[in-house]
Amino acid sequence: MLIETENLSYKYPRGKDNALNGINVTINKGEFTAVVGHNGSGKSTLAKHFNALLLPDAGVVTVDGVETANQGQLFNIRTKIGMVFQNPDNQIVGTVVEEDVAFGPENLGIAPDEIARRVDKALATVDMEQYRKRAPHQLSGGQKQRVSIAGILAMNPECIVLDEATSMLDPKGRKELLQAMTSLNKSGTTIVNITHFMEEAAIADRVIIMKDGNILLDGTPREVFADREILLNAGLDVPPVSRFVKEIAGLGLEINDNVISEQECVEAIETLLNR
Amino acid sequence: MLKDITIGQYYPSVSFVHNLDPRTKLLLSFVFIASVFIARPYNIGYAIIILMTGALYIISKIPVKMIFKGLKPIIPIIIFTVVINLLFLNGEIVEIRWIDGETVPLRWWIFKITYEGINYAVTIIIRISCLIAGTSLLTYTTRPMELTDAIETLLSPLKKIKVPVHEFAMMMTIALRFIPTLIDETDKIMSAQKARGACLDNGTLIQRAKALIPILIPLMISAFRRADELALAMECRCYNGGEGRTKFKQLRISARDMVAASVMILFLSLVIIVNKFNIGWFLV
């Protein structure tokens, strides 16, 4: 396991209630997890505990066996757990794409030729090599977020936490970013995607539903989407495709109503029509 | 519309000067400035300076019209100093001989035109023009980022006496990075305020200045928010000041820089020699 929280509680200095109430969660190496919740559910607060941006008021967070409260290991923890934020404009430091990707490795004091190798590799991974000399403001939102991912990849992380990284993107940019996440996960990087889009939860291996600082559900997308009542209670809903086939099934038609992706929905409708 | 502005005055081109190390260019600019101040108008010193400025522009493949573009903003200053010197400097007053043989000194009320005044006015025109043209060449041929890097490296010995050189360079970098982003944002805020009926383009000067307030305040607030988020993102990427940091883009001194330095030192020596022995005074 990579990240483990034990009875993690946290309250913001000016907050009324606890943002997190005794969270116990384990993120394993190589997993693709989506953390979903309504605004104020504590999902971003949880994410900020994964790389020691916030330290628990009570309980313990460990990354690869190291406690995040251990200040001496801060660089080590932040190198292992990279983070991509919501606003694509506010996390790019360099005036040129490749300089921004090099920013993390520079901070770690890595030798220049090794940095060059890492920058090449990271840009190739997110498919942004042809933009390496561009200025950030010449890129689209999705491209900027891919540059941010490359900046983290260049630090050779174990895990990337995306804190609502898709929420400011247009549908095209979001699709690009989700593809990047899936392919990174296939090559072995642990992904934690914090989001409020259920469609994004569907492509993860594991979904954690949060409400009011508690974990409501934790399981595969199929398991989680099965319980629509709990989701509605958390201010969420199953993805539109799942709802759609459920409605068709409600009309008395024989359709596979256990559907979580567009692909499965298309297949289900095809089998229905061929019957 | 605001998006089209260029940051700095970089003039993209491929030339000997563009390819020089920014540190070399920065230091040699000082050599050039020194030469301009050493040269005197009483001999061929100024001719050498003017020729050199022209030659540098040709080598850099920068069109000569860029010299005038650089000079434009300071023309009022030049005219002002020239007029003041021309009219008020003490010395031998110029006399004009009319056709009938009568000589009239050029003097009226408190104004007078003297030989020294004319001399000094010409000196100022040449000196300021060459100074601006020469130093603009540095910004025409060097990207702002390269310049920041050069300043950081050249000033790095000052770190020993606790001058925050790295922090200064980082601030410059972030400022350069965010200028286009903030310009974009200004554009959006202006459109938003216009859509709400704000009148930005007409009215008296005071009215227009007042109309800027609803644009500047949201811009400031958003800039602070951006700063906050950027700081968080930088922390996540292990930024911890300049200590123990390496540089991806290494500045390298090559043979090219040696050649450029030699030429400029030769030029400086020539100016000094011409000045010292007053070579060519009879030509002027």
Side-chain angles (χ1 to χ4, degrees):
Chain A
M1 80 207 133
L2 185 61
I3 306 169
E4 191 176 20
T5 74
E6 237 182 272
N7 292 319
L8 161 62
S9 293
Y10 183 81
K11 185 167 151 306
Y12 281 100
R14 270 177 289 176
K16 215 164 62 226
D17 303 313
N18 271 2
L20 296 173
N21 296 313
I23 300 279
N24 286 299
V25 72
T26 306
I27 308 285
N28 294 308
K29 268 184 191 157
E31 256 180 359
F32 186 166
T33 310
V35 179
V36 194
H38 211 251
N39 286 342
S41 61
K43 56 189 195 302
S44 283
T45 313
L46 180 64
K48 287 195 174 90
H49 279 86
F50 288 167
N51 70 345
L53 277 178
L54 294 175
L55 296 175
D57 285 343
V60 176
V61 180
T62 54
V63 172
D64 231 1
V66 178
E67 249 188 70
T68 53
N70 185 347
Q71 285 293 317
Q73 292 290 319
L74 206 59
F75 268 32
N76 194 0
I77 290 164
R78 291 195 178 150
T79 312
K80 278 190 180 130
I81 316 287
M83 212 157 172
V84 179
F85 294 92
Q86 184 175 22
N87 191 326
D89 275 318
N90 299 352
Q91 46 187 322
I92 295 180
V93 191
T95 46
V96 178
V97 166
E98 58 173 5
E99 274 166 26
D100 182 71
V101 177
F103 181 74
E106 282 180 338
N107 291 336
L108 297 174
I110 289 162
D113 35 336
E114 170 67 12
I115 297 182
R117 257 197 303 280
R118 287 189 182 195
V119 169
D120 289 344
K121 200 174 153 224
L123 284 173
T125 310
V126 295
D127 200 16
M128 287 291 290
E129 299 127 299
Q130 67 270 43
Y131 299 99
R132 61 182 306 152
K133 298 282 183 199
R134 293 281 185 90
H137 68 274
Q138 297 171 315
L139 304 177
S140 73
Q143 289 170 334
K144 279 184 225 175
Q145 289 298 56
R146 270 148 65 198
V147 170
S148 299
I149 292 184
I152 287 158
L153 286 176
M155 295 169 78
N156 286 345
E158 300 258 351
C159 170
I160 299 182
V161 179
L162 297 106
D163 189 358
E164 301 202 38
T166 58
S167 62
M168 287 180 73
L169 302 182
D170 54 7
K172 185 169 165 280
R174 187 183 307 161
K175 206 169 162 193
E176 284 169 16
L177 198 61
L178 289 173
Q179 272 165 1
M181 285 185 217
T182 318
S183 74
L184 277 173
N185 181 249
K186 285 213 175 90
S187 58
T189 313
T190 312
I191 304 278
V192 178
N193 183 23
I194 315 281
T195 180
H196 55 253
F197 293 110
M198 271 303 182
E199 301 91 308
E200 289 182 22
I203 65 159
D205 301 332
R206 175 182 173 193
V207 180
I208 296 172
I209 305 285
M210 290 191 70
K211 194 201 174 196
D212 300 334
N214 294 304
I215 289 182
L216 220 55
L217 289 171
D218 181 353
T220 64
R222 219 170 285 280
E223 288 165 8
V224 169
F225 296 157
D227 211 334
R228 195 177 168 200
E229 282 305 306
I230 295 184
L231 291 179
L232 287 173
N233 178 32
L236 299 163
D237 202 348
V238 294
V241 279
S242 310
R243 223 177 335 158
F244 175 67
V245 289
K246 284 250 164 61
E247 303 252 323
I248 293 180
L251 295 173
L253 291 165
E254 274 182 53
I255 188 168
N256 171 18
D257 66 353
N258 193 1
V259 158
I260 61 167
S261 69
E262 281 172 32
Q263 184 59 34
E264 285 180 7
C265 178
V266 170
E267 281 163 18
I269 292 170
E270 273 177 353
T271 32
L272 175 69
L273 292 176
N274 292 337
R275 209 162 267 169
Chain B
M1 53 155 188
L2 285 168
K3 219 174 176 179
D4 301 326
I5 71 148
T6 49
I7 311 158
Q9 331 184 49
Y10 184 68
Y11 188 90
S13 176
V14 182
S15 78
F16 180 83
V17 181
H18 281 80
N19 287 332
L20 286 175
D21 187 295
R23 287 172 296 177
T24 316
K25 277 186 269 190
L26 193 61
L27 290 177
L28 293 183
S29 298
F30 287 112
V31 173
F32 184 83
I33 293 170
S35 315
V36 172
F37 277 108
I38 288 167
R40 292 273 163 262
Y42 313 115
N43 50 43
I44 57 166
Y46 269 20
I48 297 175
I49 299 275
I50 292 168
L51 282 178
M52 188 65 181
T53 312
L56 285 175
Y57 270 78
I58 292 165
I59 298 169
S60 311
K61 295 186 187 157
I62 306 279
V64 181
K65 67 165 197 270
M66 295 295 281
I67 298 183
F68 301 107
K69 208 183 144 205
L71 285 177
K72 227 188 212 162
I74 56 145
I75 284 176
I77 300 173
I78 295 183
I79 291 175
F80 181 74
T81 29
V82 162
V83 167
I84 294 284
N85 278 299
L86 205 58
L87 296 183
F88 293 105
L89 213 69
N90 290 322
E92 194 187 331
I93 293 170
V94 178
E95 290 184 342
I96 290 181
R97 190 182 294 274
W98 295 106
I99 311 159
D100 57 4
E102 191 190 353
T103 56
V104 180
L106 286 179
R107 176 211 294 267
W108 179 74
W109 195 33
I110 55 167
F111 305 114
K112 53 190 176 291
I113 292 179
T114 62
Y115 286 108
E116 281 79 1
I118 294 172
N119 210 329
Y120 207 71
V122 173
T123 310
I124 284 174
I125 293 174
I126 296 177
R127 191 176 269 182
I128 296 183
S129 306
C130 286
L131 215 55
I132 298 296
T135 45
S136 309
L137 195 63
L138 175 68
T139 48
Y140 286 150
T141 60
T142 319
R143 285 172 207 280
M145 262 315 288
E146 289 180 301
L147 215 50
T148 313
D149 267 0
I151 294 169
E152 184 181 4
T153 339
L154 286 174
L155 294 184
S156 61
L158 293 180
K159 281 179 193 163
K160 288 214 177 68
I161 54 165
K162 299 256 157 76
V163 179
V165 177
H166 166 78
E167 284 72 8
F168 173 72
M170 183 53 83
M171 276 157 56
M172 285 275 287
T173 310
I174 291 172
L176 288 171
R177 150 75 184 87
F178 275 93
I179 287 170
T181 310
L182 290 180
I183 287 175
D184 217 24
E185 181 144 38
T186 316
D187 236 6
K188 274 187 203 150
I189 297 172
M190 275 166 83
S191 307
Q193 302 291 26
K194 273 184 196 160
R196 286 164 178 77
C199 202
L200 303 176
D201 303 320
N202 39 39
T204 64
L205 195 65
I206 293 169
Q207 278 173 331
R208 270 184 290 167
K210 270 188 184 160
L212 280 180
I213 294 173
I215 290 162
L216 291 179
I217 288 176
L219 192 65
M220 288 275 282
I221 292 171
S222 120
F224 277 111
R225 192 175 302 132
R226 282 180 194 283
D228 215 23
E229 283 181 29
L230 185 71
L232 204 65
M234 284 168 76
E235 247 184 83
C236 279
R237 290 164 77 182
C238 299
Y239 180 69
N240 194 23
E243 203 91 348
R245 215 165 172 268
T246 45
K247 274 259 165 215
F248 166 47
K249 281 274 155 70
Q250 297 285 312
L251 297 175
R252 275 200 192 84
I253 298 288
S254 62
R256 195 184 283 126
D257 299 283
M258 296 301 171
V259 172
S262 313
V263 170
M264 285 308 281
I265 287 168
L266 213 66
F267 163 67
L268 178 65
S269 323
L270 186 66
V271 170
I272 292 173
I273 291 167
V274 165
N275 187 42
K276 178 128 190 176
F277 299 104
N278 215 1
I279 295 169
W281 57 272
F282 44 84
L283 294 173
V284 184

